[in-house]
Amino acid sequence: MTHFLDIHTTDPADLRAMIDAARRMKAARRDLPRGAPDDEQPLAGRMVALIFEKPSTRTRVSFDVGVRQMGGQTMVLSGADMQLGHGETIADTARVLSRYVDLVMIRTFDEAVLHEMAEHADIPVINGLTDRTHPCQIMADVMTYEEHRGPIAGRKVLWSGDGNNVCASWLQAAGQFGFDLTFTGPAQLDPEEDWIRFARDRGATVRIERDPLVAAKDADLVVTDTWVSMHDAQSARERRHNLLRPYQVNARLMAEAKPDALFMHCLPAHREEEATSDVMDGPQSVIFDEAENRLHAQKAILRWCLGV
Ligand code: CP
Ligand code: NVA
């Protein structure tokens, strides 16, 4: 079964093929209205279940639209409304869904849920974000970087802020796509050692630098994310804000990066917190290209999973 669970567990040649396929599919739709079908309909006759145990705008809409453009059908399910949220095991849910649909995309809390779903499903499972990783986002982000600046291999990426789930997938991508990553943030919110080790073992240079202005020097790409993720306790909000305030991405920080550095944020953003509006809306920002490319990248992921 071809699941898309994480970047570090997917073959680098397959990751590259998916990015290239996404770019081709995007180009093929250049002059089509959003709702028009693709010329190719590889998902004709296929049904995809999209399960959300957390809120979503981009993941939900981009998967739904992407499947439909390729001729498939979708159903969007909220975890809380399913028996899954009322005591039915994940294994049983996986076995049942496998009798009805051709693929499951799930956004959940504990990654154990994703892995259990994949283990017991007879159909491909895609990770639409867990507390620990967000691989679909980083596939879209790598695609976006390369659209604007060419190959990401050998580039210097700066992550400023919380070493969270999105940062984890960036570290995995550093190992798989061959770029360097500097993390700047408070020691209390460092990324997991597992992901740093993975990237380093695969030959990427990973630096931890507490001074954001030193860290930003010569960066090709500056990335940040919310200071309080969906899985973080609201009671930790003030403490996190206090820790992360020095790592806001603003004009002063961007000035230390290369003059042609790009700015990325997976969104949703909290303007004037982790990033200022002048950066988010400025000429170096590609945040809405990232959002658009979720659609194209995930279409390639869906095709890879289904082998179509
Ligand atoms: N970036 C992202 O995954 O956005 P949503 O939470 O809106 O899906
Ligand atoms: N780190 C954020 C990403 C949202 C797309 C979260 O998990 O809430």
Side-chain angles (χ1 to χ4, degrees):
M1 196 51 53
T2 311
H3 303 298
F4 185 74
L5 301 182
D6 267 314
I7 288 184
H8 69 299
T9 50
T10 305
D11 186 86
D14 287 350
L15 295 170
R16 169 51 57 199
M18 285 186 255
I19 301 273
D20 294 346
R23 290 189 68 176
R24 278 196 303 278
M25 284 191 280
K26 180 176 183 178
R29 285 194 63 83
R30 189 158 291 140
D31 301 319
L32 291 179
R34 310 267 178 258
D38 287 350
D39 289 342
E40 283 183 79
Q41 295 282 281
L43 264 63
R46 309 278 184 144
M47 179 63 79
V48 173
L50 307 172
I51 303 174
F52 290 91
E53 297 198 287
K54 290 175 177 169
S56 169
T57 297
R58 280 144 288 269
T59 306
R60 179 182 167 142
V61 178
S62 58
F63 265 106
D64 202 340
V65 169
V67 170
R68 289 168 195 238
Q69 287 180 349
M70 295 192 290
Q73 296 188 69
T74 59
M75 63 184 68
V76 181
L77 304 161
S78 128
D81 292 342
M82 298 172 69
Q83 299 293 7
L84 180 62
H86 300 276
E88 186 165 26
T89 66
I90 296 144
D92 286 348
T93 306
R95 292 181 187 113
V96 170
L97 289 175
S98 300
R99 302 289 179 105
Y100 299 133
V101 303
D102 298 285
L103 183 145
V104 173
M105 190 288 316
I106 181 164
R107 165 170 288 193
T108 189
F109 289 87
D110 187 346
E111 72 170 0
V113 171
L114 170 82
H115 290 290
E116 205 174 333
M117 182 75 80
E119 187 184 333
H120 296 282
D122 300 328
I123 53 175
V125 174
I126 294 178
N127 176 0
L129 179 146
T130 70
D131 296 358
R132 213 170 169 215
T133 60
H134 195 4
C136 291
Q137 180 67 52
I138 278 51
M139 291 296 279
D141 293 351
V142 168
M143 175 184 174
T144 305
Y145 184 85
E146 297 196 334
E147 262 181 355
H148 285 271
R149 295 285 185 267
I152 198 165
R155 299 296 189 157
K156 289 184 168 56
V157 174
L158 172 70
W159 178 277
S160 186
D162 181 15
N164 65 12
N165 47 0
V166 178
C167 179
S169 291
W170 268 107
L171 277 164
Q172 295 170 1
Q176 299 292 56
F177 288 96
F179 56 83
D180 297 337
L181 192 140
T182 298
F183 171 84
T184 190
Q188 295 90 329
L189 300 175
D190 272 350
E192 285 182 54
E193 195 54 46
D194 281 0
W195 311 137
I196 296 174
R197 201 175 318 113
F198 172 82
R200 286 183 176 152
D201 286 351
R202 304 257 326 161
T205 300
V206 178
R207 277 197 314 146
I208 309 273
E209 168 55 61
R210 302 292 169 209
D211 182 334
L213 297 180
V214 172
K217 209 159 169 37
D218 292 332
D220 294 292
L221 170 63
V222 177
V223 194
T224 191
D225 187 15
T226 181
W227 290 342
V228 185
S229 283
M230 291 183 273
H231 58 271
D232 290 322
Q234 277 306 317
S235 55
R237 193 173 182 279
E238 193 178 331
R239 175 180 158 266
R240 289 180 148 270
H241 275 236
N242 289 337
L243 285 170
L244 288 161
R245 208 163 282 122
Y247 299 97
Q248 180 189 68
V249 179
N250 50 33
R252 180 146 159 61
L253 184 115
M254 289 302 292
E256 298 297 328
K258 286 197 182 137
D260 69 343
L262 296 177
F263 169 70
M264 288 193 187
H265 189 311
C266 64
L267 306 178
H270 302 78
R271 286 172 177 261
E272 315 311 332
E273 292 181 7
E274 69 268 17
T276 53
S277 282
D278 58 337
V279 171
M280 288 182 62
D281 300 328
Q284 290 165 280
S285 172
V286 290
I287 57 177
F288 298 111
D289 292 338
E290 291 177 81
E292 175 182 343
N293 285 338
R294 292 292 301 278
L295 169 68
H296 308 294
Q298 288 159 193
K299 285 169 73 176
I301 293 168
L302 286 159
R303 291 186 74 161
W304 177 77
C305 285
L306 291 165
V308 292

